[in-house]
Amino acid sequence: MAPDSRGTAPGTRPAVRVLVVGGGYVGMYTALRLQHKLRQRLRSGEAEIVVVTPEPYMTYQPFLPEAAAGSISPRHVVVPLRRVLRLCRVVIGEARRIDHAERTATVTTSATGEDGSGAVHIPYDELVLAPGSVSRTLPVPGLADFGIGFKTVEEAIGLRNHVIEQMDIASATRDPALRDAALTFVFVGGGYAGVEALAELEDMARYTSRYYHNIKPEDLRWILVEATGRILPEVGEDLGGYAVRELRGRNIDVRLDTRLDSCEDRIAVLSDGSRFPTRTLVWTAGVKPAPILAASGLPLTERGRLRCTAALAVEGTEHAWAAGDAASVPDPTSPEKGAETAPNAQHAVRQAKVLADNVLAVLDGRPPTDYRHATVGSVASLGLHKGVAHVYGRKIKGYPAWLMHRVYHLSRVPTFNRKARVLAEWTLAGLFKREIVSLGSLEHPRAEFALAAGGHPFPAQPGAERERPHPGDGEPGGGTPGDDGPPGESG
């Protein structure tokens, strides 16, 4: 896409251009509704919708734990934007700066560094900021070197491969210290992402252990670290307590009011004085707004989110809109003064509909409407056939809650195509045994050929020290990672 300018000759750009920054829940659903409502104007060239997103797909994040456990294929957790947004222009790139006074966005694309053309400047008439969030990290020593995130489908599948690889290492080694570290899995963060990821992977690993002659389920050590006094706060204190009891009943070590102080040298040091040698440390302790918000010049809250009105317009700013993780939206349905809508998928999908309608209303000279939606409730999975749910004031546990979790998210995942594929995979998973294969080599697909050709099997990376052994030169099988590589990598 060539650089554009608001001063180009008449006829070179549409009368109205809506720029959507972000291709997640809010970005995709907003663009989809605008595409439907502006269909005629888009086809005639009178209007244009431009979606800027770093990935060509939208990830349905509630399914990441099941993808990590192998219950769903990774390709069915994502929705290809170009297929869904047929009448929109999808630009794969990163928005680096927003100059709303000039109504121009500066975007870098995959071609920016290749052809030397520099950043692309995209002018717009209406701006929708929905870049989502990124992992919120703390200055914990060793976290950047050994921590594993759980926010993208790549991280989810990488973590699944990593867990199975650690079981391979534990099965093959004669070093008891290495074996214990390989079979110790530490998760930091007791929200949805941390609890569901741990519960699903523990279920998967416990099942997988039956295929190892020297690993029993009780050999695996799972630790959940939460800085507050409860987990899953969204489902309420009672169900959060039930979830803790359920996890502890599966020999999962749940540590409340505890922080991670350090993870240097692959040793997790907790604030209660405990030390756990581990090769797996998963960080799910919250998120923070995407960096583009700070580079937008638009009003932000103390937490770095866009200050918005109930109509989803950026406060004190015309022609700028936001919703989802990036926005601080007042909740008029809450009895608490100053309450805001929760940054979850339930609100994001509904906000996108109102946001799109309000953009259309402004374009047509009509007043926008406020977003109002009382929270229906929350559901969470605790592994296969186990869950908790707090829906319409009712508290549900066990199998019914797990079933409700699946039904709800199946109804929310975009497109009939994805719904059918996910349902088919669940059906097949109920008829056949789990897959227990690790495909960690997918992270370095050229490693085998590069090694055969006499080159280095891994791309050069700062701090990279590991060499992949030849078969027979070290660990059994030749492809098992050594003890000096960072988590998540594989040969």
PDB file of all heavy atoms in Angstrom, residues 1-3 107-120:
ATOM      1  N   MET A   1       0.844  -1.181   0.000  1.00  0.00           N
ATOM      2  CA  MET A   1       0.000   0.000   0.000  1.00  0.00           C
ATOM      3  C   MET A   1       0.878   1.229   0.000  1.00  0.00           C
ATOM      4  O   MET A   1       1.742   1.424   0.836  1.00  0.00           O
ATOM      5  CB  MET A   1      -0.901   0.022   1.238  1.00  0.00           C
ATOM      6  CG  MET A   1      -1.778   1.245   1.330  1.00  0.00           C
ATOM      7  SD  MET A   1      -2.840   1.140   2.796  1.00  0.00           S
ATOM      8  CE  MET A   1      -3.623   2.741   2.690  1.00  0.00           C
ATOM      9  N   ALA A   2       0.708   2.097  -0.965  1.00  0.00           N
ATOM     10  CA  ALA A   2       1.529   3.280  -1.085  1.00  0.00           C
ATOM     11  C   ALA A   2       1.098   4.337  -0.092  1.00  0.00           C
ATOM     12  O   ALA A   2      -0.056   4.394   0.323  1.00  0.00           O
ATOM     13  CB  ALA A   2       1.432   3.817  -2.509  1.00  0.00           C
ATOM     14  N   PRO A   3       2.040   5.254   0.293  1.00  0.00           N
ATOM     15  CA  PRO A   3       1.671   6.330   1.188  1.00  0.00           C
ATOM     16  C   PRO A   3       0.548   7.151   0.604  1.00  0.00           C
ATOM     17  O   PRO A   3       0.474   7.373  -0.593  1.00  0.00           O
ATOM     18  CB  PRO A   3       2.972   7.138   1.304  1.00  0.00           C
ATOM     19  CG  PRO A   3       4.058   6.159   1.009  1.00  0.00           C
ATOM     20  CD  PRO A   3       3.479   5.237  -0.007  1.00  0.00           C
ATOM     21  N   VAL A 107       2.019   3.967   9.920  1.00  0.00           N
ATOM     22  CA  VAL A 107       1.981   2.504   9.999  1.00  0.00           C
ATOM     23  C   VAL A 107       3.230   1.916   9.373  1.00  0.00           C
ATOM     24  O   VAL A 107       3.647   2.335   8.281  1.00  0.00           O
ATOM     25  CB  VAL A 107       0.728   1.954   9.276  1.00  0.00           C
ATOM     26  CG1 VAL A 107       0.702   0.435   9.309  1.00  0.00           C
ATOM     27  CG2 VAL A 107      -0.546   2.531   9.895  1.00  0.00           C
ATOM     28  N   THR A 108       3.842   0.946  10.054  1.00  0.00           N
ATOM     29  CA  THR A 108       4.934   0.177   9.466  1.00  0.00           C
ATOM     30  C   THR A 108       4.395  -1.196   9.073  1.00  0.00           C
ATOM     31  O   THR A 108       3.635  -1.806   9.823  1.00  0.00           O
ATOM     32  CB  THR A 108       6.104   0.007  10.448  1.00  0.00           C
ATOM     33  OG1 THR A 108       5.630  -0.599  11.652  1.00  0.00           O
ATOM     34  CG2 THR A 108       6.715   1.358  10.793  1.00  0.00           C
ATOM     35  N   THR A 109       4.780  -1.663   7.902  1.00  0.00           N
ATOM     36  CA  THR A 109       4.311  -2.950   7.402  1.00  0.00           C
ATOM     37  C   THR A 109       5.485  -3.905   7.225  1.00  0.00           C
ATOM     38  O   THR A 109       6.639  -3.533   7.430  1.00  0.00           O
ATOM     39  CB  THR A 109       3.593  -2.784   6.044  1.00  0.00           C
ATOM     40  OG1 THR A 109       4.563  -2.395   5.048  1.00  0.00           O
ATOM     41  CG2 THR A 109       2.521  -1.693   6.133  1.00  0.00           C
ATOM     42  N   SER A 110       5.187  -5.122   6.831  1.00  0.00           N
ATOM     43  CA  SER A 110       6.248  -6.108   6.631  1.00  0.00           C
ATOM     44  C   SER A 110       7.178  -5.718   5.492  1.00  0.00           C
ATOM     45  O   SER A 110       8.323  -6.163   5.427  1.00  0.00           O
ATOM     46  CB  SER A 110       5.631  -7.479   6.347  1.00  0.00           C
ATOM     47  OG  SER A 110       4.767  -7.414   5.232  1.00  0.00           O
ATOM     48  N   ALA A 111       6.691  -4.869   4.581  1.00  0.00           N
ATOM     49  CA  ALA A 111       7.515  -4.442   3.452  1.00  0.00           C
ATOM     50  C   ALA A 111       8.336  -3.204   3.766  1.00  0.00           C
ATOM     51  O   ALA A 111       9.227  -2.838   3.001  1.00  0.00           O
ATOM     52  CB  ALA A 111       6.625  -4.162   2.234  1.00  0.00           C
ATOM     53  N   THR A 112       8.056  -2.551   4.891  1.00  0.00           N
ATOM     54  CA  THR A 112       8.719  -1.291   5.205  1.00  0.00           C
ATOM     55  C   THR A 112      10.234  -1.428   5.226  1.00  0.00           C
ATOM     56  O   THR A 112      10.953  -0.620   4.642  1.00  0.00           O
ATOM     57  CB  THR A 112       8.236  -0.762   6.573  1.00  0.00           C
ATOM     58  OG1 THR A 112       6.825  -0.534   6.517  1.00  0.00           O
ATOM     59  CG2 THR A 112       8.933   0.543   6.914  1.00  0.00           C
ATOM     60  N   GLY A 113      10.743  -2.454   5.894  1.00  0.00           N
ATOM     61  CA  GLY A 113      12.178  -2.629   5.977  1.00  0.00           C
ATOM     62  C   GLY A 113      12.784  -3.311   4.772  1.00  0.00           C
ATOM     63  O   GLY A 113      14.002  -3.329   4.610  1.00  0.00           O
ATOM     64  N   GLU A 114      11.934  -3.893   3.905  1.00  0.00           N
ATOM     65  CA  GLU A 114      12.439  -4.623   2.739  1.00  0.00           C
ATOM     66  C   GLU A 114      12.672  -3.717   1.537  1.00  0.00           C
ATOM     67  O   GLU A 114      13.678  -3.826   0.852  1.00  0.00           O
ATOM     68  CB  GLU A 114      11.470  -5.742   2.363  1.00  0.00           C
ATOM     69  CG  GLU A 114      11.305  -6.811   3.433  1.00  0.00           C
ATOM     70  CD  GLU A 114      12.534  -7.676   3.591  1.00  0.00           C
ATOM     71  OE1 GLU A 114      13.317  -7.756   2.634  1.00  0.00           O
ATOM     72  OE2 GLU A 114      12.710  -8.250   4.684  1.00  0.00           O
ATOM     73  N   ASP A 115      11.709  -2.827   1.262  1.00  0.00           N
ATOM     74  CA  ASP A 115      11.833  -1.993   0.066  1.00  0.00           C
ATOM     75  C   ASP A 115      12.373  -0.595   0.356  1.00  0.00           C
ATOM     76  O   ASP A 115      12.575   0.196  -0.559  1.00  0.00           O
ATOM     77  CB  ASP A 115      10.487  -1.888  -0.655  1.00  0.00           C
ATOM     78  CG  ASP A 115       9.379  -1.299   0.219  1.00  0.00           C
ATOM     79  OD1 ASP A 115       9.703  -0.712   1.273  1.00  0.00           O
ATOM     80  OD2 ASP A 115       8.203  -1.424  -0.150  1.00  0.00           O
ATOM     81  N   GLY A 116      12.573  -0.282   1.644  1.00  0.00           N
ATOM     82  CA  GLY A 116      13.142   1.012   1.995  1.00  0.00           C
ATOM     83  C   GLY A 116      12.217   2.187   1.786  1.00  0.00           C
ATOM     84  O   GLY A 116      12.666   3.338   1.777  1.00  0.00           O
ATOM     85  N   SER A 117      10.919   1.916   1.636  1.00  0.00           N
ATOM     86  CA  SER A 117       9.977   3.006   1.358  1.00  0.00           C
ATOM     87  C   SER A 117       9.593   3.788   2.603  1.00  0.00           C
ATOM     88  O   SER A 117       9.011   4.858   2.514  1.00  0.00           O
ATOM     89  CB  SER A 117       8.710   2.440   0.698  1.00  0.00           C
ATOM     90  OG  SER A 117       8.088   1.505   1.555  1.00  0.00           O
ATOM     91  N   GLY A 118       9.899   3.251   3.758  1.00  0.00           N
ATOM     92  CA  GLY A 118       9.555   3.944   4.994  1.00  0.00           C
ATOM     93  C   GLY A 118       8.130   3.660   5.416  1.00  0.00           C
ATOM     94  O   GLY A 118       7.404   2.887   4.789  1.00  0.00           O
ATOM     95  N   ALA A 119       7.731   4.302   6.507  1.00  0.00           N
ATOM     96  CA  ALA A 119       6.397   4.074   7.050  1.00  0.00           C
ATOM     97  C   ALA A 119       5.320   4.602   6.113  1.00  0.00           C
ATOM     98  O   ALA A 119       5.534   5.515   5.315  1.00  0.00           O
ATOM     99  CB  ALA A 119       6.275   4.750   8.415  1.00  0.00           C
ATOM    100  N   VAL A 120       4.142   3.998   6.223  1.00  0.00           N
ATOM    101  CA  VAL A 120       2.985   4.396   5.430  1.00  0.00           C
ATOM    102  C   VAL A 120       2.147   5.376   6.259  1.00  0.00           C
ATOM    103  O   VAL A 120       1.921   5.153   7.449  1.00  0.00           O
ATOM    104  CB  VAL A 120       2.138   3.156   5.060  1.00  0.00           C
ATOM    105  CG1 VAL A 120       0.884   3.570   4.311  1.00  0.00           C
ATOM    106  CG2 VAL A 120       2.963   2.187   4.226  1.00  0.00           C
TER     107      VAL A 120
END
